[in-house]
Amino acid sequence: CLQAAGEGLGAEVAACHGDADRWRQVEGHLFFVRATARYIPTTEASVVPSVLSLGPQLPDHWRVRVGFTVVIGKLGRWLDANPSMLGGLLEYIVQGLGMPKVGRASAEALQD
């Protein structure tokens, strides 16, 4: 399931460029990753890194940003075991702290 969600998310992100209304599909895939995050083993080495690397390519919509920020927070256990992925993610979260509608999710992601 996680593999399919990761592939679907990648495909939706690629399809979003040029179609501003596709953010909803991206948000749906992010919701699935968020809901399953606690079941992802810390040794998972293909899907999670590919999902987390999509951050800079995500559509510029506050709901997508909140969704991705929550995913980062929910993957805290995985990130503890794989700290090499933290660099750009921390910057993403910190940028969100000053954004309306995103700040709360950013603060919670830092706590997770």
Side-chain angles (χ1 to χ4, degrees):
C1 286
L2 182 61
Q3 182 74 32
E7 290 171 1
L9 178 59
E12 289 298 336
V13 168
C16 275
H17 300 289
D19 187 355
D21 291 331
R22 294 194 64 130
W23 66 266
R24 289 177 181 89
Q25 288 87 343
V26 172
E27 183 187 33
H29 286 285
L30 289 172
F31 183 82
F32 178 83
V33 174
R34 179 179 93 184
T36 59
R38 70 175 145 200
Y39 304 109
I40 298 172
T42 57
T43 56
E44 200 292 316
S46 62
V47 178
V48 173
S50 68
V51 166
L52 293 176
S53 70
L54 290 172
Q57 303 167 42
L58 293 174
D60 187 24
H61 191 282
W62 71 269
R63 288 186 185 195
V64 172
R65 188 167 189 106
V66 166
F68 188 66
T69 301
V70 171
V71 164
I72 294 169
K74 296 294 181 183
L75 289 171
R77 187 175 57 86
W78 187 92
L79 287 164
D80 280 345
N82 300 276
S84 63
M85 294 291 298
L86 279 173
L89 298 175
L90 285 176
E91 183 179 333
Y92 187 90
I93 292 171
V94 170
Q95 287 174 352
L97 287 170
M99 296 178 177
K101 301 181 183 178
V102 181
R104 181 177 177 165
S106 296
E108 290 173 2
L110 289 172
Q111 289 177 337
D112 289 343

